[in-house]
Each structure stands twice: as C-alpha cells, then as structure tokens.
Amino acid sequence: MISEKLAPQHTVHWPLKNSLYLSLIILLGAVLRFIHLDNLPMWIDEYALWKICNPGPGHSFIEQLLDNYQSPLFMVAIWNSVQGVVAEWQMRLPSVIAGIFTIPLIFTLATDLFDRRSGWIAAFLTAISPFHIWYS
C-alpha cells in the first residue's frame, strides 16, 4: 500500500491517449488524401457529373436527378458544392471529406465487432489504403 502512494501519478488517461492515436491516424489519412488533390485533370466520370450538376439555366435539380443514370445519391450530396465550380479540387472535396470520415467509422466498427487492437489496425489500413485514397 505504501508503494501505491509512492507511485507516480502522471500517467495518461487511456481514453485521452486513444483519442490522440485516432486523431493522428485521421490526420495521416487527411494528409494523404489532400496532398495530390488537384494534380490530375478531371476524369470522364467527374466531367460527366460536373456537367449534370451544372446543366445551364432553365434546368431544375429534380430534372437532372431523374435524368442521371449513375450515382444519384452522390449527385444529391454534391449538388450545391459544385454549382459554378471549375477547379478539380473543389469537385473532389466532398469525396475526400467522406473518405476521411470513414476512418473513425471503420475504427468504431472494427472495435465493436472485434477488439480495440483490430480497430487500430483497421483504421490505419483505411488511412493508408491506396485504393481508398484514390477513390476518396
């Protein structure tokens, strides 16, 4: 009992330490997604989506939504963010933000299904996954 009183009391609280680690993994994922955001020109599907979201005067959102043949939910999500946009990075920004938000979601899912260690591994692999970065 005396040894407990002499033990240092400056240990880091586990939830604080865990949130710091998760924040660092999310930061790594964000840096990897933002670093080359507008190095490449628009791909054909990005251009098609931009054209659908910027149809010109006289066309309504509902008309464009019903005419869209691919990813209508994604079009709903980015409609306001691409109005009048000409820069590639602005067009890709909603996808990057969604990709960054998936990192803590994957951590939570893996922690709930398995254990905390699996959550860390899953979050880190999601943060550095080339496939996930490319489609974010």
Side-chain angles (χ1 to χ4, degrees), residues 3-41:
S3 62
E4 289 178 6
K5 291 180 181 178
L6 297 175
Q9 300 297 323
H10 62 278
T11 57
V12 177
H13 190 58
W14 275 105
L16 177 64
K17 192 174 183 181
N18 287 337
S19 62
L20 176 66
Y21 289 153
L22 184 59
S23 298
L24 290 174
I25 291 173
I26 293 169
L27 181 64
L28 172 67
V31 167
L32 291 174
R33 282 158 181 76
F34 278 113
I35 199 162
H36 297 294
L37 193 56
D38 81 1
N39 283 358
L40 296 172

Side-chain angles (χ1 to χ4, degrees), residues 9-84:
Q9 300 297 323
H10 62 278
T11 57
V12 177
H13 190 58
W14 275 105
L16 177 64
K17 192 174 183 181
N18 287 337
S19 62
L20 176 66
Y21 289 153
L22 184 59
S23 298
L24 290 174
I25 291 173
I26 293 169
L27 181 64
L28 172 67
V31 167
L32 291 174
R33 282 158 181 76
F34 278 113
I35 199 162
H36 297 294
L37 193 56
D38 81 1
N39 283 358
L40 296 172
M42 274 192 204
W43 285 45
I44 188 72
D45 59 339
E46 291 174 325
Y47 179 74
L49 188 62
W50 177 79
K51 203 65 175 151
I52 290 169
C53 289
N54 289 303
H59 297 283
S60 70
F61 171 73
I62 298 297
E63 178 184 339
Q64 292 302 309
L65 183 63
L66 294 175
D67 195 35
N68 190 7
Y69 58 91
Q70 64 181 8
S71 61
L73 184 60
F74 183 66
M75 190 180 93
V76 168
I78 70 164
W79 177 268
N80 285 329
S81 66
V82 297
Q83 294 297 309

